[in-house]
Amino acid sequence: MTIPLRQQARVGSYILRQKLAGRDKYPLVLMLEPLFRCNLACAGCGKIDYPKPILDQRLSLEDSLGAVDECGAPVVSIAGGEPLLHKEMPEIVQGIIARKKYVYLCTNALLLDKRMDDYEPSHFFTWSVHLDGDRQEHDKSVCQQGVYDRATDAIKRAKDRGFRVNINCTLFNTAEPERTARFFDDVMDMGVDGITVSPGYAYERAPDQEHFLNRTRTKTLFRDIFKLGRERGAKWDFAQSSLFLDFLAGNQAYHCTPWGNPTRNVFGWQRPCYLLGEGYAKSFKELMEETDWDAYGVGNYEKCADCMVHSGFEASAVNDAVKNPLKAWAVSRKGPKLDGDFVADIPLDAARPAEYVFSRHVEDKLDELGESGTKGRTAAE
């Protein structure tokens, strides 16, 4: 695990305070989506399929920092859309750092060279660059040639400038273990500080519905990748907990903890999680207190059946590490178990059927905005 020690200590202190206060549901990472608009149109993305009036919306600086204060999580991951399209993004990042929160600014890096001077290196700040594989795999994933080269060039320049840089990688069922292992070697050779990896989630309105992983395929894929790394003595630094990686390899059977990564976007506080837009709360308090959390998750809801994404399960792994530090230490030392049976998974036979409510929320938002879609617009492109 390559999370800096001072960040581990700050997050650990935060978790201890929550435990001493008797809270069983608390956020670890705020997923802040100040806009949905992007300068790419990836086939597996479920975040950009909105009418223009909604894509034109932005969370203002005030609303963004208000969400940070309201939530109180020690880490903020700024996603989108493409956050660097937001004119107030430098002020948003500065405001979060001033609150001594750790910021991961996600970007496809197409604007990184142009915007880099707007930011200063800080141990509170990390560029999180989207790369879904080597040149061929990534450019295919984002549906545009040349993006991989531009992103990797920007990564090198950011490292030369003294920034912390991670890559965030989503794997689909087209991923090949050998090729993925070489890709991890390549990005570590670029000098990145860490890798965040996750299986893709089947957004219901993503253009490509054929290439998402099921749970068994996910576990097999990650075991095969980790085996190659172990055989080669590879030094891949993952910016994730050891128990989450053990979960991806099929050795832990976690229930998701969606409140660990709450999402704030232009609709409001998204229920139940970053991946499912089943409703929206007007405040973080309403999200936490009035969401029927038991209605969601693997075994509870059909849409969640194949999910093993970090935004649902990283917090589960962290909570397990707090409860079982010796187990977490052992996995951290030895790495995930890569042979034998997978741990028994959560049964799916009692899951409630999927509901398809996305379109209704879009229609409600358009009604709120009015036909012109300009009401409440701030910090536009």
Side-chain angles (χ1 to χ4, degrees), residues 106-143:
C106 303
T107 177
N108 57 39
L110 293 182
L111 292 171
L112 186 49
D113 276 334
K114 185 177 180 180
R115 303 282 192 252
M116 202 179 299
D117 287 342
D118 295 334
Y119 303 86
E120 293 291 336
S122 166
H123 69 269
F124 284 107
F125 179 70
T126 301
W127 293 107
S128 180
V129 177
H130 173 212
L131 282 181
D132 283 346
D134 61 22
R135 179 182 290 104
Q136 182 180 348
E137 285 293 306
H138 183 64
D139 286 355
K140 181 180 178 181
S141 174
V142 301
C143 305

Side-chain angles (χ1 to χ4, degrees), residues 363-376:
E363 291 165 4
D364 289 345
K365 186 65 175 178
L366 289 173
D367 287 342
E368 175 192 328
L369 294 171
E371 187 175 350
S372 68
T374 57
K375 178 182 176 183

Side-chain angles (χ1 to χ4, degrees), residues 186-207:
D186 289 344
V187 294
M188 294 309 303
D189 288 343
M190 293 176 203
V192 301
D193 296 282
I195 300 169
T196 300
V197 64
S198 188
Y201 176 77
Y203 291 104
E204 63 192 65
R205 290 173 66 98

